[in-house]
Amino acid sequence: MRKDIHPDNYRLVAFKDMSNDDVFITKSTAETRETLEVDGVEYPLVKLEISRTSHPFYTGKSKLIDTAGRIDKFKNKYKKFDKKEEQKEEK
């Protein structure tokens, strides 16, 4: 195995699944500016949209998660092409 190819700055980091507020702590080199206190200890925080506790493959459940409002943004952007809206405006 080649020497000196792995980073030296591993530290404990809190990863938070934003869809279900699950938090797990593991070693990582991920850079972050936010922190989170877990059991009285403050850890750097990395936010995730999906993790093993919310992914349909692991949970066996499928659900729609729209944390960033993407569906509403899409609907508003393409609202002008909706034929139902055109008919309402004509009346």
Side-chain angles (χ1 to χ4, degrees), residues 56-73:
F57 179 79
Y58 296 107
T59 62
K61 300 174 187 172
S62 124
K63 63 180 178 178
L64 177 65
I65 302 171
D66 184 28
T67 57
R70 292 185 191 116
I71 295 171
D72 291 332
K73 288 179 187 176

